[in-house]
Amino acid sequence: MAQLYSSVKPTPMLKDELDIVIPTIRNLDFLEMWRPFFEQYHLIIVQDGDPSKVINIPEGFDYELYNRNDINRILGPKASCISFKDSACRCFGYMVSKKKYIYTIDDDCFVAKDPTGKEINALEQHIKNLLSPSTPHFFNTLYDPYRDGADFVRGYPFSMREGAITAVSHGLWLNIPDYDAPTQLVKPLEKNSRKFDLPLRLPILYVDAVMTIPQGTLFPMCGMNLAFDRELIGPAMYFGLMGDGQPIGRYDDMWAGWCVKVICDHMGWGVKTGLPYIWHSKASNPFVNLKKEYNGIFWQEEAIPFFQSVTLPKECTSVQQCYLELAKLVKEKLGKVDPYFITLATGMVTWIEAWEELNSEEGTEAKAPNGKNE
């Protein structure tokens, strides 16, 4: 008798509790490589640029597609807080999601392989990171003590071993590093490798580790391989005003990261970085990037000390309250650096207003996308 095999695929972790958000200006052929890992999840695709352009999406995926016309229709005047012609538009997907968790990935990122050649299920690792505690208040020298085969080292306080809630899982990249334009220009051939590459004499840069970023420490967050608890920290995941009509670009995810980290520190939550890796397939033009980053390279020397010095009042007990307080401080302190920060602070307030409005019971009826496939 012929052996029968079930055609039913195993249900992935958090299948009904997680949305995958993808910003794009092109056909999403890259999804074919991710099909084994993404096919059973719901996708929210935010189309940037020309809304009349038709974006082709491979069959078999459950998705919603939003373009600029949809953003303007759904948010009305508050659409001004969503960037145009910049991947920062992805945060609109965070706003319209109905799920507890978000994973966001760029369309030039593919499935990576670990040093043994096994394909990495990046989404599964992010979920494991989010569902296990963090250690922001005391650093464990063996990195994540909650991973299989790991534990707390000698001298780690027993009173702190329950850890903290994890709000953010920040993944990394193989192949093309996430460099700024000046570093791209001076290191045009440098790549992250999963093994020692003799011709280019590259070190082994695949590090099998997850760690919690300590409380009080900022980090440069990259949005191309990122997961977070939307219900917990979502209102702070605003990628700012970048791109068309703005004097800065390529600082969208870093701005969000600085805001998120300050708020997570205030609330006592953790942010993890490390595994999982994705394969970043192409480097953007460093000369184009330099034009976008030029102001930011100078402004970050003022912005980072600002965030390092911020102390949120104890009266701020919600993420929304924390974020509005940050917006007030940005306007007051960084507005002296450049008028752009006054505009950005206004966008931060508008973002929270739009988030509250759209995530109210009445607002859920206005979320219908331009394209949907279920």
Side-chain angles (χ1 to χ4, degrees), residues 43-249:
L43 312 182
I44 296 178
I45 300 162
V46 183
Q47 178 181 344
D48 197 18
D50 183 2
S52 66
K53 181 179 178 180
V54 177
I55 298 293
N56 293 321
I57 300 159
E59 294 184 3
F61 288 93
D62 169 27
Y63 68 88
E64 298 172 35
L65 172 64
Y66 296 90
N67 60 34
R68 192 69 202 188
N69 291 339
D70 299 311
I71 295 172
N72 291 338
R73 172 177 54 82
I74 293 169
L75 295 185
K78 293 183 176 67
S80 62
C81 72
I82 304 298
S83 297
F84 183 55
K85 294 185 178 179
D86 192 279
S87 64
C89 68
R90 77 176 78 219
C91 61
F92 177 78
Y94 311 159
M95 186 184 287
V96 297
S97 171
K98 305 176 184 68
K99 304 292 178 61
K100 177 174 173 55
Y101 299 99
I102 294 289
Y103 174 55
T104 185
I105 185 172
D106 284 3
D107 60 13
D108 62 347
C109 295
F110 296 88
V111 178
K113 294 182 179 180
D114 67 19
T116 71
K118 180 182 178 182
E119 290 191 337
I120 297 168
N121 185 343
L123 184 51
E124 182 180 71
Q125 179 64 52
H126 274 298
I127 292 170
K128 290 179 179 178
N129 292 348
L130 290 170
L131 295 183
S132 62
S134 297
T135 55
H137 309 299
F138 201 92
F139 187 76
N140 190 57
T141 51
L142 274 181
Y143 308 119
D144 189 349
Y146 306 103
R147 287 186 69 191
D148 291 341
D151 213 325
F152 294 95
V153 297
R154 180 171 56 88
Y156 200 99
F158 284 90
S159 60
M160 302 177 74
R161 295 191 180 194
E162 288 187 3
I165 296 170
T166 301
V168 179
S169 173
H170 178 256
L172 300 176
W173 352 263
L174 294 176
N175 195 38
I176 305 298
D178 186 30
Y179 284 157
D180 52 42
T183 308
Q184 281 183 293
L185 287 167
V186 298
K187 295 184 174 182
L189 299 179
E190 185 161 308
K191 296 181 179 181
N192 279 17
S193 175
R194 63 186 173 89
K195 58 186 177 180
F196 197 82
D197 190 333
L198 288 175
L200 292 179
R201 305 188 66 80
L202 292 177
I204 298 174
L205 292 179
Y206 182 100
V207 180
D208 185 19
V210 178
M211 66 183 73
T212 299
I213 301 171
Q215 186 178 33
T217 301
L218 297 177
F219 75 111
M221 189 174 82
C222 173
M224 73 172 78
N225 177 27
L226 178 73
F228 60 92
D229 186 327
R230 178 185 177 275
E231 289 185 358
L232 201 65
I233 198 65
M237 272 291 178
Y238 176 48
F239 276 41
L241 289 171
M242 305 281 157
D244 192 54
Q246 304 300 334
I248 186 174

Side-chain angles (χ1 to χ4, degrees), residues 237-306:
M237 272 291 178
Y238 176 48
F239 276 41
L241 289 171
M242 305 281 157
D244 192 54
Q246 304 300 334
I248 186 174
R250 284 173 56 82
Y251 273 83
D252 52 330
D253 42 9
M254 287 183 285
W255 180 263
W258 298 332
C259 293
V260 162
K261 189 58 168 61
V262 167
I263 293 173
C264 283
D265 286 351
H266 175 77
M267 301 296 284
W269 302 329
V271 175
K272 292 182 178 180
T273 188
L275 300 179
Y277 287 91
I278 49 84
W279 184 267
H280 187 205
S281 66
K282 64 179 182 180
S284 47
N285 187 309
F287 297 100
V288 173
N289 290 346
L290 187 58
K291 289 182 65 176
K292 295 178 180 179
E293 296 173 6
Y294 182 80
N295 285 323
I297 291 170
F298 292 98
W299 291 346
Q300 71 181 8
E301 302 304 322
E302 301 284 348
I304 291 172
F306 160 77

